[in-house]
Amino acid sequence: MHPILFSIGSFTVRSYGLMVAIGFALAIYLAWRQTGREGIDREKFLDMTLWVIVAGILGGRFMYVLVSWREFIHDLPGIFMIWRGGLVFYGGFMLALAAVWLYCRCYRISFWRMLDLCAPYVALGHAFGRIGCFLNGCCYGRPGTFCGVVFPGLGDGITRLPTQLFESGFNFLLFFGLLFLRRFRRFAGQLICTYVFAYAL
């Protein structure tokens, strides 16, 4: 894997952080272009994305620390070193969802229309994030020979399923599926509900 893409002096570019940043940026840009069709003010959408980014990172990191607390018993500063990797999607999604609800309530924007606007692009951003997981060498699957990959960071030479790439591929499919479904949407909230069900499945 390639957790570190390159370094210039003390400045290091990590593959995980770069792919997450690309996912965020692309998702925000494409959703921003769609705001007019959803009847949502572009400036308010951009303001909301700041809330969502912060909430997503905090929620994802909190959940990771919660489920991997043994890693941090003797390394408390490591809790804040998110550039090493270590975000749990569900934690980030739940706190980001709360941030969207609070923002929409404050500015009297339709919560469900906002979620429908964002749903396809959440899948797209997540697809890039999982590529970052693969490059970072984390979130791998069980040992197996079918499409097995050796993760050098583990040092055991065992081939494991690259579940990160499987999930990334399914997220790309989900992204295109939601774009297609958007043409036939019957009610506000249909896209986000479809996303939640399909992703969990």
Side-chain angles (χ1 to χ4, degrees):
M1 304 305 107
H2 301 280
I4 297 177
L5 293 179
F6 62 88
S7 297
I8 302 175
S10 60
F11 178 73
T12 300
V13 174
R14 293 181 175 269
S15 55
Y16 178 79
L18 179 63
M19 295 307 295
V20 168
I22 290 173
F24 266 124
L26 188 58
I28 290 168
Y29 172 70
L30 293 176
W32 174 80
R33 290 187 59 184
Q34 184 68 21
T35 50
R37 296 178 184 177
E38 295 291 337
I40 295 172
D41 181 85
R42 285 186 166 185
E43 294 301 319
K44 283 189 168 56
F45 170 77
L46 287 178
D47 289 343
M48 185 200 72
T49 60
L50 296 176
W51 292 40
V52 170
I53 290 172
V54 172
I57 291 173
L58 290 178
R61 188 60 173 178
F62 175 77
M63 185 70 76
Y64 179 79
V65 172
L66 195 64
V67 300
S68 308
W69 59 271
R70 290 184 180 86
E71 291 183 26
F72 303 101
I73 291 179
H74 303 294
D75 182 27
L76 293 181
I79 292 174
F80 306 100
M81 298 178 183
I82 60 172
W83 53 87
R84 294 180 183 173
L87 299 174
V88 173
F89 174 75
Y90 283 111
F93 182 74
M94 288 187 289
L95 199 58
L97 203 63
V100 173
W101 178 83
L102 184 60
Y103 187 88
C104 289
R105 185 175 176 85
C106 287
Y107 290 95
R108 298 183 179 180
I109 301 170
S110 170
F111 175 63
W112 293 108
R113 289 186 71 85
M114 182 67 84
L115 291 183
D116 273 357
L117 166 67
C118 297
Y121 308 109
V122 172
L124 179 64
H126 196 185
F128 280 92
R130 282 305 184 196
I131 293 173
C133 289
F134 178 75
L135 294 174
N136 193 50
C138 60
C139 306
Y140 45 81
R142 67 176 62 183
T145 55
F146 172 71
C147 297
V149 174
V150 175
F151 290 87
L154 300 178
D156 56 13
I158 296 175
T159 58
R160 290 177 168 82
L161 298 179
T163 49
Q164 317 94 323
L165 298 184
F166 297 159
E167 186 170 350
S168 179
F170 282 119
N171 270 305
F172 278 120
L173 289 176
L174 183 53
F175 164 66
F176 288 112
L178 290 170
L179 291 184
F180 178 77
L181 179 62
R182 187 166 64 190
R183 301 178 182 180
F184 307 99
R185 181 177 42 181
R186 294 175 178 268
F187 58 90
Q190 184 177 359
L191 292 186
I192 190 64
C193 290
T194 302
Y195 166 78
V196 170
F197 175 79
Y199 176 71
L201 183 64

